[in-house]
Amino acid sequence: MADYDVIVIGAGLGGLSSGALLAHRGLKVLVLEQSGRIGGCCSTFERDGYRHDVGASIVEITQPIELVFKALGTSFGEEVDLIPCDPIFSVMYRNGERITVEKSIEATGKLIASLDPADGRRWFDFCDYCSDMMDVLLDSILVEPADTLGDMARVVKKNPALLRYLPNFMSTYQDLIQKYFKSDQVQRTMAYQSLYMGMPPALCPGPFAMIPYSEHRGIWYPRGGMIRIPEALVRCGQKDGMELRLNTPVTSVIVRNGRAKGVVLEDGREISSRMVVSNVNPRMLYLDLIGEQHLPWLTRTGVKSLKYGKSLCMVYVGVDCKPPLDAHHSYIAVSMQEVNDFWAKHVETGVMLPANANYGLVCWPSHSDDSLAPEGHHVLNVIPESFYHLKGTNWDAFKDRFIDEYIDYLSEKLVPDLRGHITHAIGSSPVDFERHLRLPEGSIYCFHQDASHQAVFRPSSKSKCIDGLYLTGSGTHPGGGVPTTMSSGYIAYSQILKHERC
Ligand SMILES: Cc1cc2nc3c(=O)[nH]c(=O)nc-3n(C[C@H](O)[C@H](O)[C@H](O)COP(=O)(O)OP(=O)(O)OC[C@H]3O[C@@H](n4cnc5c(N)ncnc54)[C@H](O)[C@@H]3O)c2cc1C
């Protein structure tokens, strides 16, 4: 008799969603987390009375999150106090000018028309197109398994409207945005958002061009920090008996006769289970935790061919004043070409841009939730564009200088006197993310998210070579991001109900 029905490795959003849902179905579930905190990339830590989010900074596209909480017998709104964010973002031009974008589609249409009247008219056509595409994707491929071509065929049969939008996966974000918007200034307000999917506009698949529209359906911030979402999942899971152990790294998955039978902990102890759900990067899972000897040739080769995706440097900043910003998110205006060039000339070669040519995002969570900092103080997440592989140096040697120069640039040109008000600034480089969150190469979405790493090309939610092993999190379909990883947790749960004795 196994110790548990299910062991979940990792307390990220994917692992906790699956764990809580399986516990709700009456299974005996144990979640093992290597770090001292839940939530992985979607978490919050405290420093001297300031609360900082580790990675994810906002909630949008809430349908998959609602799906998980509904299946848990509750709702997202009941479990997490969501603060609506409006305006949704601000664009900072290098000459000091700014434009601020409100949630209202009509107000945004007027704003775009003030930049280019024809683009202003086309904004409404763009919204109609993206609205329909978003509803279709959310009702189909984003919440269903996509392990096999058979799965894909079933999804299309269930929602034939998907056929209208599948060809967009063969086009790019840039193609779709440029089809609707001709003005460079208007395109500059939308270029950065392709990086929300971890890719420049010329590589990002076409369907994600809906992001400049989808943000207008609403963005929210959980009062108290992003950790409120994983906390809600733990609370729901624990009501149904789910156990959680922090500071408990798993070093291997026990595989006997082709079936996952439990795990081995770092201290050598073994815990047995009927099934294992992994929230670990799938390349690390298969090559390190399972071992090549258990993998058929095709899995070994397939897993090794997966490319890690975008990584980030994040600076957690406390300030003793109200920052001169206008919205929860402010990013530096940048053209499609600049983002594409950054990829080709810098990410690929390892040569970093000088601070005054870098761009990036400043996130201001205490604009939405003033409980995050002492009275009159605020927290910011400063996110310059960066990458993992540096030429001729390494992140431990380079980090402090890189961050200092970027903050000086912001302070001089875009966020006046930021430098003079900083109480603390804690930098986390791609290598720090790799060490602390076990994200190989600091890759925030596990792998690239281009068409060759989507759906059937991403590791399957039900392992194809090891019975009883299920994958969840950003390394499996439908990829990285808060709503999508919760979707993957729901998919792993539904696969277990379908394929196992529960
Ligand atoms: C800097 C940054 C910024 C981001 N910004 C946004 C954003 O604004 N919006 C958005 O939607 N998304 C954002 N994301 C992405 C989003 O946060 C992630 O896609 C999502 O939270 C990942 O969830 P996950 O389930 O894949 O697991 P992860 O968050 O990767 O968690 C996996 C967990 O498994 C644990 N673990 C790993 N190996 C082991 C082991 N061997 N034993 C035990 N435990 C183990 C890890 O410690 C971790 O807690 C960001 C991510 C980062 C890093």
Side-chain angles (χ1 to χ4, degrees):
M1 173 92 170
D3 299 325
Y4 291 88
D5 291 315
V6 184
I7 289 177
V8 179
I9 313 172
L13 289 178
L16 289 175
S17 301
S18 298
L21 287 164
L22 291 164
H24 194 61
R25 282 297 285 225
L27 274 72
K28 190 178 176 198
V29 176
L30 171 65
V31 181
L32 300 169
E33 166 57 43
Q34 60 90 23
S35 75
R37 196 167 48 224
I38 57 165
C41 304
C42 180
S43 196
T44 307
F45 68 93
E46 190 161 338
R47 175 69 63 93
D48 304 331
Y50 298 80
R51 288 172 70 78
H52 296 285
D53 292 319
V54 172
S57 57
I58 207 77
V59 180
E60 54 187 296
I61 311 182
T62 51
Q63 286 87 335
I65 309 178
E66 295 288 2
L67 182 71
V68 170
F69 282 107
K70 189 169 173 214
L72 287 169
T74 176
S75 71
F76 192 22
E78 262 174 83
E79 297 298 332
V80 178
D81 182 3
L82 293 168
I83 305 168
C85 306
D86 193 7
I88 50 178
F89 63 88
S90 158
V91 184
M92 305 187 285
Y93 291 87
R94 290 189 194 275
N95 63 4
E97 283 175 20
R98 296 210 192 132
I99 60 171
T100 297
V101 177
E102 291 171 33
K103 179 174 175 254
S104 156
I105 286 181
E106 288 69 31
T108 304
K110 281 189 192 144
L111 179 71
I112 294 179
S114 73
L115 303 175
D116 184 287
D119 281 3
R121 285 192 294 278
R122 284 190 289 263
W123 163 250
F124 296 99
D125 298 336
F126 174 75
C127 289
D128 287 345
Y129 182 78
C130 290
S131 170
D132 188 53
M133 176 164 70
M134 186 171 160
D135 287 339
V136 169
L137 294 177
L138 280 171
D139 196 35
S140 57
I141 194 152
L142 290 182
V143 289
E144 300 277 355
D147 289 357
T148 62
L149 290 175
D151 286 340
M152 296 292 288
R154 269 186 290 279
V155 172
V156 172
K157 196 171 163 204
K158 215 162 136 186
N159 193 339
L162 188 57
L163 286 174
R164 279 206 297 278
Y165 299 110
L166 279 183
N168 282 344
F169 280 95
M170 297 297 117
S171 71
T172 67
Y173 184 101
Q174 181 162 327
D175 292 337
L176 216 77
I177 296 291
Q178 288 183 340
K179 182 174 159 195
Y180 285 91
F181 306 106
K182 309 298 173 193
S183 138
D184 176 63
Q185 217 190 344
V186 173
Q187 289 176 17
R188 275 172 187 267
T189 65
M190 300 178 186
Y192 184 82
Q193 283 151 310
S194 81
L195 294 173
Y196 289 1
M197 294 314 301
M199 283 162 292
L203 290 182
C204 187
F208 301 121
M210 72 183 176
I211 295 172
Y213 159 75
S214 70
E215 296 209 300
H216 291 270
R217 286 213 181 163
I219 62 174
W220 293 267
Y221 187 75
R223 192 180 303 281
M226 294 299 289
I227 198 171
R228 296 297 186 230
I229 305 173
E231 279 176 353
L233 292 168
V234 169
R235 201 168 50 243
C236 292
Q238 286 181 334
K239 263 190 224 151
D240 291 314
M242 181 180 90
E243 287 176 50
L244 166 70
R245 291 188 208 165
L246 300 177
N247 302 305
T248 312
V250 169
T251 50
S252 57
V253 174
I254 302 167
V255 178
R256 287 195 196 106
N257 301 323
R259 187 168 176 97
K261 293 282 190 182
V263 299
V264 182
L265 306 183
E266 203 171 59
D267 62 12
R269 273 181 302 154
E270 289 189 9
I271 311 178
S272 63
S273 61
R274 292 202 294 121
M275 291 158 259
V276 171
V277 173
S278 170
N279 194 189
V280 177
N281 181 296
R283 224 180 124 145
M284 223 158 80
L285 166 75
Y286 280 115
L287 299 180
D288 302 339
L289 269 61
I290 291 174
E292 294 195 25
Q293 70 277 18
H294 294 292
L295 307 179
W297 172 85
L298 195 59
T299 310
R300 257 190 341 255
T301 317
V303 152
K304 284 181 186 175
S305 73
L306 293 163
K307 290 203 174 63
Y308 297 128
K310 180 178 172 51
S311 60
L312 282 181
C313 189
M314 182 90 112
V315 197
Y316 310 106
V317 177
V319 289
D320 64 4
C321 67
K322 186 173 179 197
L325 293 164
D326 306 316
H328 190 99
H329 281 162
S330 300
Y331 49 80
I332 299 175
V334 66
S335 70
M336 302 259 180
Q337 196 53 45
E338 276 171 275
V339 188
N340 294 334
D341 283 352
F342 179 74
W343 215 262
K345 294 183 187 157
H346 298 276
V347 179
E348 299 285 337
T349 61
V351 179
M352 188 56 78
L353 271 175
N356 64 2
N358 202 315
Y359 47 101
L361 175 76
V362 180
C363 174
W364 179 17
S366 49
H367 175 252
S368 309
D369 176 6
D370 62 10
S371 75
L372 297 174
E375 207 180 329
H377 291 223
H378 282 267
V379 286
L380 300 172
N381 280 357
V382 174
I383 315 174
E385 275 314 295
S386 46
F387 43 81
Y388 181 79
H389 292 285
L390 292 174
K391 189 175 175 191
T393 183
N394 63 65
W395 274 106
D396 290 335
F398 181 66
K399 180 171 85 175
D400 289 348
R401 181 163 58 88
F402 174 68
I403 289 172
D404 266 358
E405 288 177 1
Y406 187 72
I407 288 184
D408 282 345
Y409 172 67
L410 284 183
S411 201
E412 279 162 27
K413 299 285 181 193
L414 299 168
V415 190
D417 203 20
L418 171 65
R419 168 68 76 201
H421 289 281
I422 291 180
T423 57
H424 63 266
I426 309 159
S428 186
S429 73
V431 170
D432 295 324
F433 283 120
E434 180 175 60
R435 287 182 189 132
H436 299 140
L437 293 176
R438 302 206 180 184
L439 290 180
E441 297 196 359
S443 177
I444 63 170
Y445 298 136
C446 269
F447 302 120
H448 265 306
Q449 305 221 96
D450 62 358
S452 71
H453 290 78
Q454 293 278 352
V456 288
F457 302 116
R458 223 167 171 82
S460 304
S461 56
K462 178 185 186 308
S463 172
K464 286 182 177 146
C465 60
I466 295 174
D467 290 336
L469 176 65
Y470 294 83
L471 277 64
T472 181
S474 56
T476 183
H477 172 76
V482 169
T484 36
T485 46
M486 291 192 62
S487 204
S488 78
Y490 183 85
I491 290 171
Y493 153 78
S494 48
Q495 291 280 56
I496 288 177
L497 296 193
K498 181 172 169 197
H499 295 283
E500 305 284 342
R501 201 168 33 80
C502 288

